[in-house]
């Protein structure tokens, strides 16, 4: 399965109407289709945020943790909140216990 197919399977949030550009962004960030699937499953729709989380030692499985933390008042995954800018990567690392 290609990155584009993975993105299309995850729906509009994963590509915002432009699956080709989204696939290119994930490819340029160095992710393969399996990686993209895991990050999208964690609700991380931004490859730069996924890269930052991974660099901080946070796996997609860790980033699936639901939290109220961050600058906005809603519950979602750590990955989603980092991707939307509502949670800093350092805060995410503390929340999930990444070292």
């Amino acid at each position: 399965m290609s990155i584009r197919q993975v993105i299309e399977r995850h729906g509009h949030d994963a590509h915002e109407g432009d699956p080709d550009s989204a696939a290119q962004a994930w490819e340029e960030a160095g992710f393969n289709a399996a990686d993209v699937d895991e990050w999208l499953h964690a609700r991380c729709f931004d490859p730069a945020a996924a890269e930052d989380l991974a660099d901080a030692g946070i796996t997609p499985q860790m980033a699936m943790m639901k939290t109220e933390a961050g600058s906005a008042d809603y519950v979602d995954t750590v990955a989603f909140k980092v991707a939307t800018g509502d949670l800093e990567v350092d805060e995410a690392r503390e929340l999930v216990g990444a070292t």
Side-chain angles (χ1 to χ4, degrees):
M1 183 174 287
S2 71
I3 291 176
R4 188 180 195 285
Q5 290 170 320
V6 168
I7 289 169
E8 286 181 325
R9 195 180 73 209
H10 281 274
H12 189 268
D13 287 341
H15 58 73
E16 297 182 350
D18 189 356
D20 290 325
S21 292
Q24 182 177 355
W26 282 99
E27 288 171 9
E28 288 174 359
F31 292 99
N32 63 38
D35 295 333
V36 173
D37 190 46
E38 288 183 17
W39 283 111
L40 293 177
H41 185 68
R43 295 186 39 77
C44 185
F45 303 118
D46 178 359
E51 190 172 24
D52 290 344
L53 288 163
D55 289 347
I58 300 171
T59 66
Q61 292 75 24
M62 297 165 103
M64 282 187 217
M65 183 182 102
K66 299 259 181 158
T67 184
E68 293 179 2
S71 62
D73 188 27
Y74 64 95
V75 175
D76 211 315
T77 65
V78 167
F80 183 84
K81 288 196 157 202
V82 169
T84 58
D86 293 330
L87 185 68
E88 297 295 322
V89 173
D90 288 339
E91 293 175 287
R93 186 184 305 133
E94 288 181 33
L95 282 169
V96 302
T99 54

